[in-house]
Amino acid sequence: MSVVVLGAELLGEVKEEGLDELLLSLQELQSSSDEPLGFPPLDTLLNVFQNPPQTRQQQRYHTQFGEWSTQSPAVPPPKDKPLPVIELTGSSACSGKTQLLYHLISLSLLPPKHQDVLIRGKGSAVVLCDLSSKFSVLRLHDIMHNHVLSAIEHSTISEIPIASLLSDSLTHLHIFRPHSTTSFLSTLSFLPKYLLGQPPSHFSTNRPLGLLIINNISTFLWQDRLDADEETDPSTSKDPVKSGSNFFSQRYRTLVSTLREIQRTFSCVIVATNRGLAPVMSVSGRRALSSYLPPIWNSFCTVKLVTERNRVRKFGPGLSIEEASKEAWQRWEAVERSPFTVSVNWADSEDWKEEVREAVRKLEVQGSFFFCVTDEGVMLDVNED
């Protein structure tokens, strides 16, 4: 075989791809981490919903042909796996969803390691769309501070400059506070230009976007419904034939398509909090909280969770005022120590794959987990029954 022929054959085996394809491959490699949040209970749930067990068709295929068979038909490549979208819905006020949000943001902002101290952060940037304008940076700072202190206690290092570490980490938190759905959509559309613009207007150029947070996605819900009603009011609408439900749903279709485009660009995890309006129901003994957002949003979410505060036993019947006063401080302490429960929301479980339902049932406590909120932050409660 001549050198020319051999060179031609070797050249034919070389795969060519553009720079955009190479960058996309690197993004997919980075986003394929088994711990996108660095928070084991949620990472486990995401893995179940995104990487469910083999389908029955795949199992039959492997049983019939076996991996050794060279005559097996080619298996079509799987569809592109959507990036994680998590909805945290509180069953009532003070249900713990915002405290859990602080914890996730702190893990994303803090670095994996600092001066030989293992902090176990993700070292990412975070974009927060605070629709309700109630997010407390001071509370986030306290949680991050105590997380670093705990990491130092478990290391051989006696002291590190915590103030400078926290200050540097918080510069990578980008907060936007839109005042309407229109403003919110404009903010999301502007986001790629803001993060990728040159010269940069922020300090997160060298950090990946780890989290896109939407704090209280239902803040503008009723204003949107009012706008939809006005669009269909013959006395005010320019197009009386237009359907109000279509006008309302169109805003959420635009929202979902914009968020998908952001995820394609930055390969980030989206976490949205929501307020529950209906009582928590039970579906075959599992927690279910019906959504009042349009179906397109519900199908966009990878996993939907319900957060609840565990109830403390009420005063017994026939208890006198004097006896209740004596027990008041004990009851207050019990309320303070009462843990929170995070459960998979089974309200839309009929839309899941059977493999996903079965995998969730097999998880410990069916994917639920418990945590306590203290002045120091969020503590996982592993002893809760």
Side-chain angles (χ1 to χ4, degrees):
M1 181 182 295
S2 67
V3 176
V4 176
V5 175
L6 178 61
E9 290 182 356
L10 293 175
L11 185 61
E13 296 176 0
V14 176
K15 180 183 178 181
E16 296 182 2
E17 64 178 11
L19 179 60
D20 57 339
E21 295 174 306
L22 175 61
L23 294 176
L24 181 60
S25 299
L26 290 175
Q27 269 191 345
E28 291 175 349
L29 181 63
Q30 181 183 13
S31 62
S32 62
S33 169
D34 291 334
E35 298 181 349
L37 296 171
F39 188 61
L42 284 183
D43 289 332
T44 300
L45 278 174
L46 283 176
N47 186 53
V48 167
F49 277 85
Q50 290 199 291
N51 303 293
Q54 286 185 333
T55 62
R56 294 185 179 89
Q57 181 181 3
Q58 291 172 328
Q59 292 175 354
R60 286 196 299 268
Y61 168 80
H62 285 291
T63 302
Q64 179 178 357
F65 294 100
E67 295 183 359
W68 53 267
S69 176
T70 58
Q71 300 179 352
S72 304
V75 179
K79 295 182 179 180
D80 293 337
K81 181 175 65 176
L83 289 159
V85 181
I86 303 170
E87 183 190 73
L88 298 173
T89 302
S91 60
S92 60
C94 302
S95 61
K97 66 180 186 300
T98 304
Q99 299 300 320
L100 184 57
L101 201 63
Y102 288 135
H103 186 68
L104 296 177
I105 294 174
S106 67
L107 290 176
S108 188
L109 290 175
L110 289 170
K113 195 174 184 181
H114 186 74
Q115 295 186 5
D116 294 329
V117 176
L118 193 61
I119 299 177
R120 302 183 187 278
K122 304 297 290 185
S124 304
V126 175
V127 168
L128 168 65
C129 295
D130 185 18
L131 307 190
S132 59
S133 299
K134 293 181 179 179
F135 186 86
S136 172
V137 178
L138 292 177
R139 174 60 177 165
L140 175 64
H141 179 277
D142 291 343
I143 290 177
M144 294 172 65
H145 183 271
N146 288 300
H147 182 88
V148 175
L149 284 179
S150 177
I152 295 175
E153 291 176 359
H154 292 83
S155 71
T156 58
I157 307 297
S158 59
E159 186 177 354
I160 63 173
I162 298 180
S164 60
L165 171 61
L166 297 183
S167 176
D168 176 68
S169 298
L170 285 170
T171 58
H172 302 288
L173 173 63
H174 308 274
I175 301 178
F176 299 90
R177 291 191 166 97
H179 52 78
S180 66
T181 298
T182 302
S183 174
F184 179 35
L185 293 174
S186 298
T187 300
L188 293 177
S189 300
F190 169 73
L191 201 55
K193 183 177 180 181
Y194 166 73
L195 293 175
L196 303 176
Q198 293 294 333
S201 57
H202 53 81
F203 299 100
S204 302
T205 306
N206 296 324
R207 283 198 177 198
L209 179 61
L211 281 179
L212 170 58
I213 304 290
I214 305 173
N215 189 25
N216 201 350
I217 191 171
S218 58
T219 298
F220 309 129
L221 175 72
W222 306 116
Q223 182 61 49
D224 290 341
R225 289 193 179 278
L226 177 61
D227 293 343
D229 291 341
E230 290 180 348
E231 284 291 324
T232 57
D233 186 353
S235 63
T236 59
S237 176
K238 297 179 181 179
D239 185 6
V241 181
K242 184 186 294 184
S243 170
S245 60
N246 289 340
F247 178 84
F248 177 70
S249 299
Q250 180 58 42
R251 289 193 169 183
Y252 280 86
R253 281 194 291 269
T254 303
L255 171 62
V256 168
S257 64
T258 305
L259 290 174
R260 281 186 175 139
E261 187 61 34
I262 290 174
Q263 283 193 308
R264 277 193 291 266
T265 303
F266 298 102
S267 298
C268 59
V269 178
I270 295 177
V271 180
T273 63
N274 196 4
R275 289 180 293 189
L277 296 182
V280 178
M281 308 298 289
S282 178
V283 175
S284 301
R286 303 174 183 93
R287 314 304 282 166
L289 186 60
S290 300
S291 175
Y292 46 88
L293 297 178
I296 189 170
W297 169 259
N298 298 323
S299 60
F300 177 56
C301 295
T302 307
V303 56
K304 302 176 72 175
L305 305 172
V306 179
T307 61
E308 303 173 88
R309 185 161 200 166
N310 294 4
R311 294 183 178 182
V312 176
R313 183 177 57 85
K314 298 180 179 180
F315 288 124
L319 195 69
S320 66
I321 296 178
E322 291 78 10
E323 292 172 326
S325 299
K326 292 179 181 179
E327 294 184 11
W329 66 273
Q330 295 176 334
R331 178 176 174 79
W332 178 251
E333 285 187 349
V335 171
E336 286 290 297
R337 294 193 305 267
S338 177
F340 297 84
T341 301
V342 181
S343 309
V344 177
N345 190 349
W346 285 75
D348 301 315
S349 59
E350 66 276 2
D351 298 329
W352 303 351
K353 296 179 180 179
E354 178 58 34
E355 292 76 19
V356 172
R357 284 194 292 269
E358 188 62 30
V360 174
R361 292 190 191 104
K362 291 180 179 179
L363 288 174
E364 186 177 358
V365 207
Q366 297 189 11
S368 298
F369 62 92
F370 313 92
F371 67 91
C372 295
V373 177
T374 65
D375 292 339
E376 289 74 27
V378 171
M379 309 293 178
L380 279 176
D381 187 352
V382 297
N383 298 319
E384 181 72 14
D385 294 327

